[in-house]
Amino acid sequence: GESVGLHLPTLSVQEGDNSIINCAYSNSASDYFIWYKQESGKGPQFIIDIRSNMDKRQGQRVTVLLNKTVKHLSLQIAATQPGDSAVYFCAETGSNDYKLSFGAGTTVTVRA
Amino acid sequence: DTGVSQDPRHKITKRGQNVTFRCDPISEHNRLYWYRQTLGQGPEFLTYFQNEAQLEKSRLLSDRFSAERPKGSFSTLEIQRTEQGDSAMYLCASSLDSTVEFFGPGTRLTVL
């Protein structure tokens, strides 16, 4: 079946640098995308979302970019901090509006 | 803290025993979801309620699994005759219609 996946399982970044986490999806009917952050022992925490009628959305220190032509989603984190160390998942709802499909995640480690 | 609570946070049981988990969603949220997450993977959709109606069940949800949301508020997930393969984190999420799904902290199940 169609699914959402991430390009790299791990990312190591120097504190203060910008991070870019990538995600490829295969379901062309995907309409809504969410980035979640999951710290050890906790449930996924919402970071930012974007609908398919947009190509960019900004939040506090985070930006999501959507390229529907190549079915690619990215999360940019500005001035990465130690508290940003976590596993990051992209998720999409496909052709329905409730069932999230998650990729395997990218583990981000921030070096001091 | 997202406002979604789950109980218990951890459960250790012996193979063949029955277990029941509870989820209390954010109070005004009409949608409630159950997901399962195994180590190193993203959450996988199990089932979805809109108010008290269970509208979809994943193929992952075998006959040993049952979920209820009797009054459209809290929900329970029961696993009968547990197997070692049931060991996972069970996540509950809630949303108001088709908005962002907010996740609880999860119940970690270990089947010995």
Side-chain angles (χ1 to χ4, degrees):
Chain A
E2 295 179 306
S3 63
V4 176
L6 290 165
H7 289 306
L8 293 174
T10 61
L11 176 67
S12 180
V13 60
Q14 185 71 35
E15 181 179 358
D17 287 352
N18 297 335
S19 303
I20 299 177
I21 305 166
N22 295 306
C23 176
Y25 64 95
S26 57
N27 187 348
S28 57
S30 294
D31 178 56
Y32 180 54
F33 304 86
I34 306 176
W35 280 100
Y36 284 96
K37 170 187 179 184
Q38 188 172 27
E39 296 173 286
S40 182
K42 298 184 179 180
Q45 174 189 357
F46 170 82
I47 301 173
I48 193 167
D49 59 354
I50 189 167
R51 292 211 173 266
S52 59
N53 60 352
M54 303 173 69
D55 53 22
K56 180 179 180 179
R57 191 155 189 234
Q58 289 185 293
Q60 187 177 10
R61 281 202 308 119
V62 294
T63 301
V64 55
L65 299 177
L66 176 62
N67 185 331
K68 294 180 288 295
T69 302
V70 295
K71 296 180 195 154
H72 183 267
L73 193 69
S74 69
L75 177 70
Q76 300 177 3
I77 304 173
T80 311
Q81 301 170 0
D84 295 327
S85 293
V87 181
Y88 290 80
F89 295 97
C90 66
E92 50 93 18
T93 58
S95 54
N96 58 65
D97 68 348
Y98 58 85
K99 183 167 62 178
L100 291 175
S101 293
F102 287 81
T106 292
T107 300
V108 172
T109 303
V110 180
R111 305 188 306 272
Chain B
D1 182 7
T2 62
V4 179
S5 61
Q6 292 187 244
D7 182 70
R9 294 292 308 278
H10 304 273
K11 179 69 177 179
I12 299 174
T13 191
K14 293 182 179 179
R15 190 176 52 188
Q17 297 295 306
N18 299 342
V19 294
T20 300
F21 309 141
R22 177 181 170 120
C23 171
D24 287 89
I26 295 171
S27 60
E28 66 269 24
H29 284 186
N30 57 342
R31 295 188 178 188
L32 187 147
Y33 316 80
W34 286 98
Y35 290 81
R36 181 171 70 188
Q37 185 176 28
T38 53
L39 199 62
Q41 301 298 313
E44 296 173 292
F45 172 82
L46 292 179
T47 190
Y48 151 63
F49 290 84
Q50 179 143 330
N51 299 311
E52 66 276 8
Q54 187 174 20
L55 298 186
E56 185 169 342
K57 293 171 61 174
S58 163
R59 290 189 304 272
L60 294 174
L61 221 61
S62 75
D63 291 345
R64 297 184 297 106
F65 288 71
S66 62
E68 295 182 342
R69 194 184 183 197
K71 297 182 180 178
S73 56
F74 74 91
S75 175
T76 57
L77 177 67
E78 181 183 17
I79 309 174
Q80 296 182 326
R81 305 180 303 282
T82 52
E83 302 173 357
Q84 288 184 324
D86 296 332
S87 294
M89 175 79 89
Y90 290 85
L91 293 162
C92 176
S94 71
S95 73
L96 182 61
D97 295 319
S98 60
T99 58
V100 173
E101 295 179 26
F102 291 94
F103 283 82
T107 294
R108 180 165 296 284
L109 173 66
T110 302
V111 182
L112 302 176

